Amino acid sequence: MTRWRENPWAILITLSLGYFMTLLDLTIVNIAVPDIMNRLGASLDQVLWVGNAYILVLAVLLISAGRLGDLLGKKTLFIAGVLLFTIASLACGIAQNPGQLIAARAAQGLGAALLIPQTMSLLIETFPPQRRGTALGVWASVAGIATVAGPTLGGLLVTALDWRWIFLVNLPVGVIVVAMAAAILPRPARTVTHRFDVLGVLIASAALFCAVFALTEGQNYAWSGWIWGLFAAAAVLMAVFLVHQSGKQDRQPLVPFALFRDRNFAILNGVGVAVSVGMVGLMLPLTIYLQSVLGYSALKAGLVGAPMWVMTMLVSPFAGRLSDRLGGKTVLITGLALYAIGATWILAIIDVGTDWTAFLPAFVVGGIGAGGVFAPMATEAMRGVPPRLAGAASGVNNTIRQVGSVLGGAAVGAVLQSRLAGTPDTEAARHAFVEAMGPALSVPILAVVAGAVACLWVGGRRGSGQAPGDGPDQAAAPDSREPATRRAAASWARAK
């Protein structure tokens, strides 16, 4: 593997494998919920925390981990994250009670938080601007494939083996990724020399913790006063954080405000929230519907949804190339529209006796749409981000999307639980669930439509995919470019 050291495409494969492993664990757990409850003796609230613990730690620490990669070296943080995630996966697989499983999932979230921001920022450093769209397209496509493939792969593992294997399957993948990363990724380097903003990290982490905890547990506590108090605390802490950061903009801030002066970055972070709500908000209730209402096994429920992730996988690479050639705005709007059409189609045919074949065309349309979303969304959001801000931009981008995932799950879960209250009879519950799917699925559909409308304000591409700081003046004076940009050019020249 040392022959591939710093080869851009080998770096892309290595980072994508690590990224896929962590995002798969966001959705793969959902389909194993009944098996975990039966075999581990867990309550519904405990099983929900198996998912929430992972998301909570991940969302809270992403911004900090992105900046930490700038300080300690992105390769170092990536390998440390993969190692921790792999060890935590083993702990999940051998857990003997719900408490152990929840703690191990929190450790998984920490490992994922360490590695995820480094993937995007390393790609920005590795690929020159004219090829960056394709690379980010592949990277972003991994997110879409992992999101929709989780139920299918999870269903296969749960049915053939048991719930423990949805975690143990990470072990060989993690070992391979660590070996590849050590041999292939660029040498670790300190890219900044300033002191880490510890106070900023603490304030931001506290604000995100309050917000994410309130979102995940709000329905469980009937949106009581203390839950709303957490929302208020999150708002106050975020205001304090912004004031704190405003005084550090010339001294390596945790969140550079310059990022949000780029219109596309600002808008597409909002679109990222809408997409996360749309994906999680559709897949979560649909997975429950296929098993609880239609009575499908975990494997069959996963296979019914397989056409969506297959189409996502097939379409995503083409969407990345189109983003390089044409700019991603048109591709992104088309993808969002098709995904909304597919989700609306699913909503229209849901019933207590719907045959699985009726879902296939809707899943195909939705999968094509999803395949056209992630690549251009990442490409256009990061096109104007200079390499020196890549770690911060990656942390902010991923944090906002993960909060969107939490928001989608919380919103849809709240609607379902409010509609299903007081229907203990099994047959009545099936009909009630179908009726609740209408308002529940309206949430992700409306979110995706709102995201498509917001894309109308996305600016066109700059020249031939150039980012600010990569224009003709810089090309004429290569010594003035940032070290990461020079390394990207050298790596690309060796690859060619």
Side-chain angles (χ1 to χ4, degrees):
M1 285 189 290
T2 55
R3 293 178 301 172
W4 300 331
R5 182 180 296 279
E6 298 192 20
N7 179 288
W9 301 112
I11 291 173
L12 175 60
I13 292 171
T14 303
L15 298 175
S16 296
L17 278 174
Y19 190 46
F20 180 85
M21 181 172 63
T22 58
L23 292 186
L24 188 69
D25 271 38
L26 280 172
T27 57
I28 200 172
V29 172
N30 293 338
I31 206 160
V33 166
D35 201 50
I36 293 175
M37 293 178 68
N38 291 334
R39 293 176 181 266
L40 206 60
S43 67
L44 178 59
D45 186 57
Q46 289 173 323
V47 172
L48 290 176
W49 264 105
V50 171
N52 292 344
Y54 181 79
I55 297 174
L56 182 62
V57 175
L58 175 60
V60 165
L61 296 179
L62 276 169
I63 291 178
S64 304
R67 215 54 176 142
L68 200 59
D70 289 338
L71 279 163
L72 303 179
K74 298 174 179 63
K75 178 178 180 177
T76 302
L77 263 289
F78 179 82
I79 293 176
V82 176
L83 280 172
L84 178 56
F85 185 88
T86 305
I87 294 170
S89 296
L90 174 60
C92 288
I94 63 175
Q96 298 301 305
N97 58 61
Q100 292 178 4
L101 181 57
I102 292 169
R105 284 286 282 171
Q108 265 194 324
L110 175 57
L114 291 177
L115 77 91
I116 286 177
Q118 320 315 325
T119 59
M120 180 186 283
S121 52
L122 277 169
L123 288 178
I124 291 174
E125 291 185 359
T126 300
F127 285 81
Q130 65 272 21
R131 297 291 182 181
R132 201 171 289 158
T134 300
L136 285 175
V138 173
W139 173 87
S141 302
V142 167
I145 295 168
T147 300
V148 295
T152 302
L153 297 179
L156 177 62
L157 290 169
V158 170
T159 302
L161 300 165
D162 66 26
W163 67 269
R164 296 182 184 276
W165 285 92
I166 66 175
F167 301 112
L168 296 177
V169 73
N170 292 326
L171 301 186
V173 179
V175 171
I176 291 171
V177 172
V178 169
M180 292 176 67
I184 293 170
L185 295 186
R187 292 185 301 274
R190 282 178 68 99
T191 56
V192 295
T193 57
H194 294 276
R195 192 180 303 175
F196 192 52
D197 183 8
V198 176
L199 180 58
V201 167
L202 293 175
I203 298 173
S205 298
L208 287 169
F209 177 85
C210 290
V212 175
F213 186 90
L215 284 170
T216 55
E217 288 295 292
Q219 181 62 34
N220 190 43
Y221 289 96
W223 303 102
S224 60
W226 74 273
I227 290 290
W228 290 107
L230 284 177
F231 281 122
V236 171
L237 286 168
M238 188 55 65
V240 172
F241 173 74
L242 293 175
V243 171
H244 173 73
Q245 289 294 290
S246 67
K248 288 184 168 288
Q249 290 304 299
D250 58 345
R251 291 174 290 162
Q252 292 293 333
L254 196 61
V255 178
F257 291 170
L259 290 172
F260 293 94
R261 287 198 287 269
D262 183 298
R263 182 176 63 180
N264 284 7
F265 183 84
I267 292 174
L268 289 171
N269 270 276
V271 174
V273 173
V275 170
S276 295
V277 172
M279 291 289 177
V280 174
L282 175 66
M283 300 309 297
L284 178 61
L286 196 57
T287 299
I288 300 172
Y289 163 79
L290 291 172
Q291 294 184 80
S292 299
V293 177
L294 298 187
Y296 294 167
S297 66
L299 176 59
K300 187 174 181 179
L303 291 175
V304 169
M308 177 174 280
W309 72 265
V310 169
M311 295 308 300
T312 301
M313 181 174 61
L314 293 176
V315 171
S316 290
F318 296 100
R321 293 174 191 170
L322 282 175
S323 297
D324 267 343
R325 294 178 182 176
L326 308 175
K329 179 177 178 177
T330 302
V331 180
L332 179 55
I333 292 176
T334 302
L336 288 169
L338 287 174
Y339 185 83
I341 291 171
T344 304
W345 193 339
I346 291 171
L347 176 58
I349 61 176
I350 279 179
D351 203 349
V352 290
T354 304
D355 188 74
W356 67 269
T357 55
F359 292 102
L360 295 182
F363 279 132
V364 169
V365 172
I368 293 172
V373 167
F374 289 94
M377 186 170 64
T379 300
E380 297 306 314
M382 302 300 291
R383 192 183 295 280
V385 175
R388 66 186 175 83
L389 296 179
S394 178
V396 170
N397 182 270
N398 282 287
T399 297
I400 291 175
R401 287 196 300 105
Q402 296 309 326
V403 172
S405 297
V406 175
L407 182 61
V412 170
V415 172
L416 285 176
Q417 290 191 43
S418 65
R419 292 297 183 112
L420 294 176
T423 54
D425 179 72
T426 302
E427 187 63 27
R430 293 173 66 222
H431 286 275
F433 193 92
V434 169
E435 292 178 3
M437 288 287 277
L441 291 190
S442 297
V443 174
I445 292 171
L446 290 174
V448 171
V449 171
V453 172
C455 288
L456 296 174
W457 282 271
V458 171
R461 64 185 300 172
R462 300 176 178 89
S464 299
Q466 291 175 334
D470 293 309
D473 293 340
Q474 282 72 16
D479 288 342
S480 69
R481 293 180 298 176
E482 300 174 31
T485 307
R486 293 199 299 271
R487 187 165 67 225
S491 297
W492 187 256
R494 285 195 298 272
K496 290 200 293 184

